[in-house]
Every structure is written in structure tokens, then in C-alpha cells.
Amino acid sequence: MTSPEQLSISWQSLLEALPDGTALIDRRGVMHYVNAELAFLTGYTHDELVGQNVQILIPPDLRPLEGEARRQLARNPDSRIIWNDRNLTVLQKDGTERSVDFALSPLILDGTRWTVGSIRDNSAQRAAEQARIEAEQHFRLAFEDNMAPMVFTDLEDCIITANDAFCAMMGRTRSELIGFDSKPFTFPDDVGIAEASHERLLHDEIRQVRYIKRYLHKDGRMIVAEVSKSPARDKTGKTLYFIISERDITEERMLTAQLSHQALHDPLTGLANRALLDDRLQHAHSRIVRHGGHGALLLLDLDDFKGVNDTYGHLVGDQLLAAVAHRLEGVTRSTDTLSRFGGDEFLYLAEGISGADEAEMIAERFLRSLDEPFVIGDLSLEQRASLGVVVWDATTAELSNVVRDADVALYEAKRLGKGRQFVYVPGMHHQVINRFSMVQDLRQAVASEELAMHYQPIVRLSTREVVGFEALMRWHDHQRGWVPPGVFIPLAEQSDLILDLGAFALHESIVAAGEWGRSKASLSEPYVTVNLSARQFHDPGLSALVKRELDASTLPADRLIIEITESVALMEVADTLEMIEQLTGLGIGVALDDFGTGFSSLSYLALLNPMIIKIDQSFVRPAIESIHSDRLLETIVSLGHNLGMTMCAEGIETEGQLERLRALHCSLGQGFLFSPAVPFAEAAMMVGTTF
Ligand code: C2E
Ligand code: MG
Ligand code: MG
């Protein structure tokens, strides 16, 4: 028998020539011959390997494989084992592992069975494989798992692949998308939107295009997307396909639209706001300057709207405003702009009108549209308005004057009795009616004795004798003439000016009533009632002021009565009760004014416990005209009686009204039937008389 050693020359040259690391292994696994490549791949020397069991080259976790190989060879001694598809490694001398392919071949030499084992380093392939896997993972991350909707399209714009985000954005599955172009789910107006840029991308003129495109979601919704499209090119620069990345900006767009609408519209009425109107006004003016013609501005202010808010609360006030806006909108022309100018004011811009006549017709339409009462919940509310109208043309130099002139005209409309319109007359004396200057003039008025208190007699209805007077403020302005308190009191209430006016009213009235008491020998001295506005009544210094005035006068405290309206009383009930207590503590009386126009509940009325209830003239006037109003009046009077309060009816103008009130046992009253408010001297003559 020839041993391998004896054949060494031919074996060596043969095995050394093999590119693989090779060993000749006996049946026990001992290596009898190893080539230099095996020594190289394992890090051992030739001598360290020869005589060793192959086990030393097998990593522990792969040792079971050796058993498998052995069993396979036992079953089929002539078979070869080639393992190049498993992650096999060889254990190197330094303990590290090298990735290899592995083969075992049987060899019979002179009847002795040997095994030729060989390994081939495959780390390069494995690295390439790893790189491929990683590239795939990267792609998955970059494309498939990308949060941004992405698609690849071919040069004909057919979808090659789409990621999950794109499918979700469109509400479609991949199979509903791949192989199709985007036409069927593109918003019709946007089909072909990117065609021009498509060509330029193909011809390498641009590297990327961005555009906004609207799609149709499967459920029919419109989707707005921001699209960026770039070509994928090969090494030669040839475009292979397009990479399209999208951003769903539907919500963003909606939000922006909403915000810009909000920025330009009044949230309550949905009408244009001041900013939008200003802008339209500018444009209208430029058009008039270029093409001629007239524009008109109509400033509409709701009459006595504050009363609605005070009486029924802001919720009802808001509903009424919205309802008014709706009515006004109903009579506007589509080319014009109706805006809410703030609070209860509306400003209307009319373009292309022929002149003042047409503007007046528009104003008339607005006023008529408010004729019918407004139904808010269970309430039926009358709401009228006053309108200031101004017409302008290209000769108007300063546009801001137009708004101011409308305001001037509006105040003239109010002054003339409300519920009407007034057209601004160029050259109209601003000082006369400008409400801004009015506040300043009112300040002066206190000092320059333009303010006076007038006194309206209060009569015992059964005997018609004068029992007291209501002090009512009058302003005689040297330019404006008589300005009614309904105009200047609300203006004064906007600042501390009202406190000065209130102090004036108190002082004058207390002095006046003191005089009457002295001058006339009547059975009972007349009392005086003084109206207080909210600011005054809730001013903590009020009772001290009243006490100082009373101390300085001859008027007994029980001859002074303070009038507050229901809405003032209900504003801060706890404060009100405290103030009433302080005032009654001084011995003076409290009357609840304009009763019936407010919203007071019975429990509040009992709590406030006023000495006198003044029934508002709106209940007195229509009483004899309608059964319903009559019942209301009857109820109010008996209500007051049951609570032990004295009832005083306001606004008695006819004998009929007087008769009815007498029949109801209403004890006191005032009104033009007896006398309007008159100056001090005239009032003095009425003390102790009967009407
Ligand atoms: P008020 O306190 O309800 O005063 C009654 C109003 O009815 C007065 O209007 C009076 O002139 C008017 N009047 C009296 N009899 C009749 C009548 O038979 N028919 C009609 N149609 N009206 C009649 P005036 O003087 O214009 O005052 C309006 C309101 O201004 C007052 O309503 C009061 O709330 C307020 N006011 C007047 N003077 C003062 C004041 O010194 N201080 C405060 N805070 N408010 C005042
Ligand atoms: Mg009053
Ligand atoms: Mg009143």
C-alpha cells in the first residue's frame, strides 16, 4: 500500500495548485495533509494543522453540522457535499471566524477511505450580498415606509410603484394604482397640469419641478397636493423613470382659506369686516378716479341697541345682530359690500351709482327691511336703525373723510329723531354734529353752564296734585341747540364724564327741591327723583357724595329719590343690594325706572324692594289700544301692589290713559298730559298745585 506521504510529491503539487484551502482527512477526522491555502485561511501554520482533528476549525455552533455531513457520507459514501448556500464559517486560530463555502469529497486510496475537505473564502460575495440587503432596506425606508406619499412613474406617466402613504392619500390600493396613469383620479381641471414641465425634465433642462395638483380621493373628496417630480437617470444620463414625492396640503389649504376669511370677515354675522371694506373702498375709489361716476357709503347704526343687550343679555343681542345682518344682506346688490363696522354699526359701500337719489333709495331699502319685528326665541323685537349717507366722486381728495362724513350724517339722522336717513351735505358744519367733538364740548358744558336740570311734575292720579318732580338733564349747546339726554348721556357713559354729569344732576336737584320746600307752604313737601346711570350707581363714592349734598342743603333725606333702571340694578346684584342699603340707610328712596323693559325676575324685584316702580311708557301708551297690552299693564300694577310698592306710570299723554290707570289704582304718574319737564322757576310755580 502506498501511503499518502509516499505520494507526497504528486499530491503536494496537485493540492497546492487548488485555489481552495484543502485537507486530506481520515475517518476519525484527523487532517493528514493540508495545503498552504488552508493554513492561510485559518491562520495556523501547516505543522499546527497536520495531525489535528478538523474540529478545531469548526465554530462550536456549527459542530452539529459536522455530524450531519458524516451521516450523509455514511449513507452514501460516494456522494459529495457542497455547502455554499449556508452561512458557514471557519474558526481561525485567533478565535475569529471567516465566512466560507464548504465542500467534502470522498477519496479511496488503495482501499482506504479518505475525505477531501475544502473551504473557499466567500467574504467578498457575502459583503456584496449584505450591501444588497442593506440597499433594499434603505430603499424601503426611503420609499415604502416614507411618510411622504411617493410614486415612481414611467416616461408615459404610468405608475410603476407607489408607497403606502400615497395609497392612503388617494384611498386606493396598490393594484388600483400601479399600471395606470393618474388621470382617473386627478381633479378634472388639473389633468395635464405638469405636461409642459414633463418635457423639460425629459430633456434635462431642469432637474426638478414643483407644482400644486388636485386629486380625487376614492371617496370623492378633493385632495390638494404639493408635488415634486425629478427624473431618475442612468450613468449615461438617460431618464429611466420619474420619482415623484408629494405632500398632502389639503388641510393646510383649508386652514389658510379659513384664516384669510376670518381675517376679512366678522365672525358673528359673516359679513365683510372693516379691513375688507377699507380695501374695497380703496379699489372703488381708484376706479372712480379712473372711470368717473359716484360711490356711496351708508353708515347704519341700530337705534337703542344697547337696551337690547342690557335687557335681554348679549346672547340675544348677538342673535339680533346676526338677524339684522341677514335682513340687510337680503337687499344688497352683489356688486356692493356690506360690512360690520363694529358693535351695532354696519357700513355699506355702493359702487357705480348715479348720485344722491340712488343712494337714498338704497338707504330706504335698508330701513324698510327692518320694518318687520325680529323673532328671537320667544321674543319679538322691534329694531330700527338710523343711516348716514355720503356720496362721493373723483374730486374727493381724502378718502378717510368719506367715512367721517358718513358718521356726521348718521348723527344728524339720530338727532332728528332716529329711524331715518340723512344725506351728508358737502360743507355741513362738522362741529355741529360730530359726535367726537360732542364729547369734548360736553366736558366744557359742565363748566360753562350749558347744562341744566329740568323738572317734570309727578302727579297723584286720584287728585291730580303735584307730589314731586323728576329731574331730567338738558344740554343747550350754543351751536347744536337742545341736545336730548338720549344722545349725550350714552356718550358721557363711555367715560368718567358721566360721573361729573351725575354729580351735577344731584347737586342741582337737591338744591332745587330744597328751595321748593321752603318757598311753598304745601301740605307735603314735593320730592325730587334723580336718574342715575350704571357707572354712577356702581361708583363706591356715591353714598358719600349724596350724604355731602344732603348735609349741605335744606332738603330732608326722605324727599330725595334715586331712579335706577332694571338693567342697572341687575348688573351686579350683590353690589346693587349693598348700594341700595347704603342709600336707604341715609333715609332716601329708590325707584325702579322703565319697569317692564328689563328682564327682572319676581324674586329679584322682591329682593331689590324699591319704594316706587315706574312703569315704562311703552306699557302705558298702547294700553287702551289693545287688550293684550292692557292686560300687561294691569298685571304690572297689581304685581307692584301685591309687593307693597308705589306704582308710577310714565308717559301719560291722554285722558283715556289717565282714566285707565286710575281704574287700576295706579297711584302716581307723569306725562305730557300734565306737563313736560320745565326749568326750575316754572317747576317752582307748580308746587302745591293740581292739574
Ligand atoms: P326716563 O328717566 O325714563 O325719563 C322719562 C323720559 O320720558 C324723559 O325723556 C321725559 O321727557 C319723557 N317723557 C315724559 N313724559 C312723556 C310723555 O308724556 N310722552 C313722551 N313721549 N315722553 C315723555 P328725556 O328727558 O328725553 O330723558 C330720556 C332719558 O334720559 C331718561 O329716561 C333717563 O333715562 C335719561 N336721563 C335724563 N336725565 C338724566 C340724568 O340727569 N342722568 C341720567 N343718568 N340719565 C338721565
Ligand atoms: Mg327716569
Ligand atoms: Mg323712565
Side-chain angles (χ1 to χ4, degrees):
M1 178 182 122
T2 313
S3 76
E5 286 80 14
Q6 289 170 309
L7 288 171
S8 64
I9 293 166
S10 51
W11 272 102
Q12 198 167 20
S13 47
L14 189 62
L15 292 181
E16 288 301 338
L18 290 175
D20 302 337
T22 307
L24 193 60
I25 307 162
D26 70 15
R27 300 174 69 165
R28 291 189 328 274
V30 175
M31 295 178 278
H32 286 253
Y33 180 79
V34 298
N35 69 0
E37 180 65 10
L38 185 69
F40 170 74
L41 290 177
T42 59
Y44 289 98
T45 62
H46 174 270
D47 293 347
E48 283 169 336
L49 289 173
V50 172
Q52 290 294 332
N53 195 295
V54 286
Q55 291 272 3
I56 64 160
L57 299 179
I58 303 176
D61 58 324
L62 293 179
R63 278 185 193 146
L65 279 180
E66 195 212 354
E68 187 187 328
R70 216 196 290 260
R71 274 191 301 281
Q72 192 174 328
L73 286 176
R75 267 196 314 273
N76 190 354
D78 297 325
S79 69
R80 296 182 72 195
I81 292 175
I82 298 174
W83 284 336
N84 54 9
D85 53 351
R86 310 185 181 198
N87 278 329
L88 297 183
T89 53
V90 68
L91 189 61
Q92 299 180 103
K93 186 181 176 185
D94 63 6
T96 61
E97 294 178 27
R98 180 191 288 274
S99 176
V100 290
D101 290 339
F102 173 76
L104 285 179
S105 315
L107 181 70
I108 296 175
L109 290 172
D110 292 339
T112 308
R113 187 170 285 279
W114 299 89
T115 302
V116 179
S118 57
I119 55 173
R120 176 179 295 177
D121 181 62
N122 66 6
S123 24
Q125 288 107 292
R126 289 270 171 232
E129 175 73 358
Q130 190 59 31
R132 194 184 58 77
I133 290 169
E134 278 172 15
E136 258 175 23
Q137 276 168 350
H138 286 154
F139 176 74
R140 184 162 296 120
L141 274 178
F143 181 79
E144 279 165 20
D145 297 343
N146 200 319
M147 304 282 279
M150 289 179 83
V151 272
F152 288 1
T153 61
D154 65 17
L155 304 189
E156 265 70 58
D157 252 349
C158 278
I159 295 176
I160 302 169
T161 181
N163 71 358
D164 288 349
F166 187 81
C167 294
M169 180 171 89
M170 306 306 304
R172 286 160 214 265
T173 61
R174 258 191 201 82
S175 57
E176 289 173 302
L177 295 167
I178 292 175
F180 299 99
D181 68 19
S182 63
K183 271 195 204 83
F185 47 87
T186 296
F187 189 73
D189 289 355
D190 288 0
V191 170
I193 194 169
E195 256 164 34
S197 52
H198 184 84
E199 285 304 306
R200 296 180 60 202
L201 276 179
L202 266 182
H203 297 107
D204 204 14
E205 286 172 39
I206 39 174
R207 306 208 62 76
Q208 191 186 48
V209 285
R210 276 168 181 271
Y211 50 94
I212 305 285
K213 179 172 175 176
R214 289 166 299 172
Y215 289 108
L216 289 172
H217 188 273
K218 198 173 181 184
D219 67 11
R221 251 183 314 129
M222 189 180 78
I223 296 159
V224 189
E226 185 187 74
V227 182
S228 19
K229 179 173 177 180
S230 23
R233 298 195 168 106
D234 68 8
K235 284 195 195 95
T236 66
K238 191 172 140 237
T239 299
L240 302 173
Y241 53 93
F242 291 109
I243 302 169
I244 298 171
S245 158
E246 321 223 347
R247 198 160 70 85
D248 184 347
I249 55 169
T250 316
E251 268 184 38
E252 223 173 275
R253 276 289 165 114
M254 260 160 49
L255 206 68
T256 324
Q258 216 175 323
L259 284 177
S260 67
H261 187 271
Q262 273 170 14
L264 296 174
H265 291 81
D266 166 51
L268 177 66
T269 60
L271 297 180
N273 65 11
R274 205 173 165 148
L276 182 55
L277 187 107
D278 280 347
D279 186 58
R280 299 252 168 98
L281 186 59
Q282 293 287 353
H283 283 108
H285 189 56
S286 326
R287 275 191 289 272
I288 286 172
V289 168
R290 271 201 310 275
H291 308 298
H294 295 87
L297 264 191
L298 288 81
L299 181 57
L300 181 147
D301 182 288
L302 301 184
D303 292 335
D304 309 311
F305 177 74
K306 190 172 173 291
V308 176
N309 260 343
D310 288 350
T311 309
Y312 301 108
H314 286 277
L315 210 62
V316 171
D318 283 356
Q319 283 174 294
L320 180 59
L321 274 175
V324 167
H326 190 66
R327 287 258 185 102
L328 298 177
E329 250 186 321
V331 295
T332 58
R333 304 187 304 181
S334 60
T335 46
D336 297 346
T337 305
L338 175 65
S339 71
R340 176 150 177 235
F341 206 51
D344 58 348
E345 288 187 4
F346 298 85
L347 191 57
Y348 185 69
L349 165 67
E351 273 192 73
I353 61 157
S354 54
D357 286 353
E358 197 180 335
E360 274 192 278
M361 266 162 57
I362 298 175
E364 193 59 35
R365 267 211 312 274
F366 279 143
L367 291 177
R368 289 292 75 78
S369 77
L370 304 181
D371 277 350
E372 292 287 309
F374 291 87
V375 179
I376 312 280
D378 307 336
L379 298 167
S380 169
L381 301 172
E382 297 271 348
Q383 181 61 64
R384 308 221 171 263
S386 305
L387 268 161
V389 181
V390 59
V391 177
W392 88 98
D393 59 22
T395 60
T396 304
E398 198 48 67
L399 200 55
S400 61
N401 286 350
V402 178
V403 181
R404 194 202 54 200
D405 294 346
D407 193 71
V408 166
L410 170 65
Y411 264 75
E412 187 61 3
K414 292 255 178 204
R415 205 179 67 91
L416 292 173
K418 305 181 180 175
R420 65 177 66 206
Q421 49 174 296
F422 190 88
V423 182
Y424 178 79
V425 185
M428 208 168 157
H429 198 338
H430 289 148
Q431 286 306 313
V432 180
I433 39 192
N434 190 322
R435 62 172 143 160
F436 305 112
S437 67
M438 198 183 269
V439 176
Q440 277 149 25
D441 292 353
L442 193 53
R443 259 178 225 289
Q444 306 277 315
V446 187
S448 57
E449 298 186 350
E450 287 175 7
L451 287 181
M453 298 311 291
H454 282 196
Y455 303 92
Q456 183 176 39
I458 298 169
V459 172
R460 186 179 310 286
L461 299 185
S462 54
T463 60
R464 290 181 169 238
E465 69 180 303
V466 175
V467 294
F469 293 88
E470 173 169 11
L472 293 163
M473 196 176 288
R474 298 290 179 257
W475 177 21
H476 189 267
D477 180 63
H478 63 285
Q479 281 181 310
R480 297 179 179 89
W482 287 107
V483 184
V487 170
F488 70 84
I489 297 275
L491 280 180
E493 270 172 346
Q494 288 166 13
S495 70
D496 280 348
L497 191 53
I498 190 66
L499 298 180
D500 294 343
L501 296 193
F504 172 81
L506 267 172
H507 176 79
E508 289 290 304
S509 310
I510 287 172
V511 170
E515 293 282 316
W516 299 325
R518 265 208 309 253
S519 65
K520 253 322 204 261
S522 68
L523 285 178
S524 61
E525 270 177 80
Y527 61 81
V528 68
T529 73
V530 181
N531 293 284
L532 286 193
S533 73
R535 286 280 297 277
Q536 286 170 271
F537 186 70
H538 292 288
D539 177 26
L542 176 67
S543 64
L545 174 72
V546 173
K547 186 167 171 6
R548 270 203 309 280
E549 290 291 350
L550 282 174
D551 288 349
S553 83
T554 55
L555 187 71
D558 67 351
R559 301 284 85 193
L560 174 65
I561 293 171
I562 295 297
E563 287 193 12
I564 52 169
T565 61
E566 262 182 299
S567 45
V568 169
L570 293 179
M571 226 178 256
E572 315 250 349
V573 176
D575 282 3
T576 301
L577 289 175
E578 158 125 43
M579 184 53 80
I580 288 181
E581 206 168 301
Q582 284 181 25
L583 294 175
T584 50
L586 294 174
I588 68 178
V590 172
L592 201 56
D593 202 359
D594 301 346
F595 184 76
T597 60
F599 215 44
S600 51
S601 69
L602 279 180
S603 51
Y604 277 135
L605 188 60
L607 203 62
L608 296 173
N609 193 25
M611 188 168 96
I612 296 176
I613 289 182
K614 301 192 72 170
I615 307 166
D616 191 70
Q617 41 181 279
S618 58
F619 295 95
V620 173
R621 215 175 309 135
I624 52 169
E625 291 159 18
S626 96
I627 301 242
H628 179 71
S629 309
D630 193 65
R631 286 276 150 74
L632 222 53
L633 181 66
E634 188 177 343
T635 310
I636 291 174
V637 175
S638 69
L639 177 78
H641 283 161
N642 290 340
L643 291 171
M645 293 156 194
T646 302
M647 304 309 284
C648 176
E650 297 187 281
I652 307 174
E653 293 181 351
T654 67
E655 289 290 345
Q657 290 163 349
L658 174 63
E659 276 320 301
R660 183 66 191 127
L661 286 160
R662 273 170 137 167
L664 292 174
H665 303 291
C666 175
S667 46
L668 304 176
Q670 56 191 100
F672 296 164
L673 176 66
F674 309 114
S675 166
V678 293
F680 166 76
E682 262 178 72
M685 313 278 285
M686 293 175 184
V687 177
T689 63
T690 54
F691 282 99

